[in-house]
Amino acid sequence: MKIPSYQQNLLSDTQRLTAFYEAINEKSRGIVYDLGTGSGVFSSWASPLASFVYAVEKDHPTAKFAQKNLKSFKNITIKINDARNITFNEKADLIICEMMDTALIDEEQVPVLNSVRKYLKKNGDIIPCAVFNGLEAIYLKNNHPIYQEDESAQYELRSKLVIYDTIDFKKHIKENVKYQITIPINTAGTVSGIKITTFTLLTPQLICGPTPMLNPPLLIPTNQLNMKKGENIIVNLEYTMGGGLDTLRASIKRFP
Ligand SMILES: C[S@@+](CC[C@H](N)C(=O)[O-])C[C@H]1O[C@@H](n2cnc3c(N)ncnc32)[C@H](O)[C@@H]1O
């Protein structure tokens, strides 16, 4: 069977895998849901420590790949469905969910967790448990949103990083968000965009920055302002978590 290339890229990102391996090793017990199982790698790690693992994957070819990889594990069952459509018969001690994207915009992490969280036991855990989103002012040459890993991305920093939101996966998350963020400019020049960086908290003690396949920084164009060092801008930023990059709106203005 041919390995789906996206899953192959996910499996090649050792920094991402190491962070998840540590967290899964620490938190796996009892009933585990692995939402968006992909290749099934996280289920295979949870299995020896859990009584039962429900591995959920909505993409059929990917689910078939997981079935092949996990066939020797007796305490894993694969459910081929959108995680939001599943009625689970037993509550989870641990939910693993890696449908992450920078600022949680372009994948279904938030709508899926908002739907499945009711099945988590009171003292249960979610991996990852939270993310922090940070923002920097930049001069951006590209005129459309682009991930930093893209070779054509060209930008220069104009500020330090400001953390503008923390999202706790155990609590209900508002999907449509609007922010007004004040950013002090520390390098004079044109500001024509913002850079969003997402930091992932796997467990309360384990943080992972962006990796090639886990939340690579996102560069977003805005209107242009010529700024001096020491001046401030206000960034108006809105998007829908799980709604995709088309929901992004970003603009800047001078402050005060
Ligand atoms: C980023 S990949 C992670 C795969 C694997 N867990 C890993 O980390 O290597 C996300 C996976 O979630 C699946 N997925 C996305 N949305 C889903 C949904 N609503 N329900 C079930 N699976 C979903 C995708 O098809 C994809 O295989």
Side-chain angles (χ1 to χ4, degrees):
M1 177 185 260
K2 200 166 164 276
I3 304 181
S5 63
Y6 175 56
Q7 300 300 330
Q8 182 60 64
N9 291 341
L10 289 166
L11 292 173
S12 305
D13 184 343
T14 48
Q15 207 185 335
R16 185 188 81 95
L17 290 182
T18 306
F20 274 91
Y21 179 77
E22 265 192 54
I24 291 168
N25 232 7
E26 182 189 328
K27 297 288 184 188
S28 289
R29 64 197 185 280
I31 302 298
V32 176
Y33 303 168
D34 174 18
L35 308 179
T37 194
S39 62
V41 60
F42 296 165
S43 291
S44 74
W45 291 341
S47 161
L49 303 161
S51 53
F52 205 81
V53 180
Y54 294 90
V56 180
E57 175 55 54
K58 75 171 181 183
D59 178 64
H60 274 251
T62 305
K64 294 280 163 210
F65 179 55
Q67 262 167 349
K68 182 174 167 277
N69 294 336
L70 297 173
K71 66 173 183 293
S72 62
F73 292 82
K74 301 293 172 234
N75 65 343
I76 301 177
T77 189
I78 298 176
K79 291 186 175 286
I80 309 177
N81 204 337
D82 188 312
R84 288 169 290 190
N85 296 338
I86 295 178
T87 305
F88 293 93
N89 293 325
E90 42 189 352
K91 286 199 164 189
D93 296 279
L94 172 67
I95 296 177
I96 305 165
C97 186
E98 205 285 67
M99 300 175 192
M100 307 271 289
D101 183 61
T102 315
L104 308 170
I105 301 171
D106 206 30
E107 283 200 52
E108 292 174 348
Q109 183 88 359
V110 168
V112 163
L113 284 177
N114 276 346
S115 163
V116 177
R117 197 183 292 104
K118 59 181 177 283
Y119 293 110
L120 184 67
K121 289 181 186 169
K122 228 177 169 173
N123 60 349
D125 291 302
I126 301 181
I127 295 175
C129 61
V131 296
F132 302 101
N133 291 324
L135 194 149
E136 288 154 290
I138 58 172
Y139 170 59
L140 180 63
K141 290 195 178 153
N142 308 75
N143 58 8
H144 55 89
I146 187 166
Y147 290 95
Q148 188 183 334
E149 72 199 2
D150 189 313
E151 279 162 22
S152 65
Q154 287 189 353
Y155 77 100
E156 293 164 19
L157 287 177
R158 295 281 185 257
S159 76
K160 288 192 179 159
L161 181 80
V162 173
I163 299 292
Y164 69 88
D165 202 6
T166 301
I167 293 161
D168 178 350
F169 288 148
K170 279 188 86 171
K171 296 188 179 147
H172 181 80
I173 302 159
K174 196 168 162 277
E175 293 170 20
N176 299 310
V177 284
K178 279 189 186 183
Y179 305 94
Q180 277 209 329
I181 309 142
T182 304
I183 307 282
I185 299 301
N186 67 8
T187 305
T190 303
V191 177
S192 60
I194 54 171
K195 171 181 172 182
I196 299 182
T197 305
T198 296
F199 301 88
T200 307
L201 208 58
L202 279 296
T203 69
Q205 283 78 38
L206 179 61
I207 192 160
C208 182
T211 74
M213 294 303 290
L214 184 67
N215 305 329
L218 178 60
L219 313 173
I220 303 161
T222 61
N223 52 311
Q224 290 201 3
L225 288 175
N226 289 322
M227 301 298 298
K228 292 188 186 126
K229 184 177 175 178
E231 291 183 319
N232 294 306
I233 57 167
I234 293 190
V235 177
N236 285 300
L237 175 64
E238 51 181 281
Y239 49 81
T240 302
M241 291 189 236
L245 295 182
D246 287 347
T247 65
L248 255 174
R249 302 282 176 273
S251 63
I252 54 173
K253 64 183 182 195
R254 208 176 282 274
F255 174 75

